Amino acid sequence: MTQYPEQDRGQQLAQTSMILGILSLFVPLVGIALGIIAINKAKEAEQLNTDATVGKVTGWVGTILWILSVIPLLLLIPFLLLSPFFFSTGH
């Protein structure tokens, strides 16, 4: 079977999307960026008529998980910074 350059490019994008999507699940701090890149690569692959569902789904899951884990930490920072003022014993 002969493959055309567009098919090869689509498959490369789909594989890249899948790898980045899986990495986005496990790599701290840069997981959000990897997830977003995976989603964009999946969209490019799909524009070339190549299925990239795995990359798109893992990219979204990784991005959402990291956002949900970062938000509580960001909300906790002001509490930790202000806690000495509220809980000081006055000594």
Side-chain angles (χ1 to χ4, degrees), residues 23-35:
L23 286 174
S24 75
L25 297 171
F26 301 106
V27 180
L29 302 177
V30 295
I32 294 172
L34 291 176

Side-chain angles (χ1 to χ4, degrees), residues 39-61:
I39 294 164
N40 288 330
K41 295 291 182 189
K43 287 180 185 176
E44 287 181 49
E46 289 174 345
Q47 288 174 349
L48 296 172
N49 297 322
T50 304
D51 186 31
T53 304
V54 174
K56 187 183 285 187
V57 169
T58 54
W60 275 112
V61 170

Side-chain angles (χ1 to χ4, degrees), residues 64-74:
I64 291 169
L65 285 176
W66 283 111
I67 288 172
L68 291 176
S69 64
V70 168
I71 289 173
L73 291 175
L74 292 176

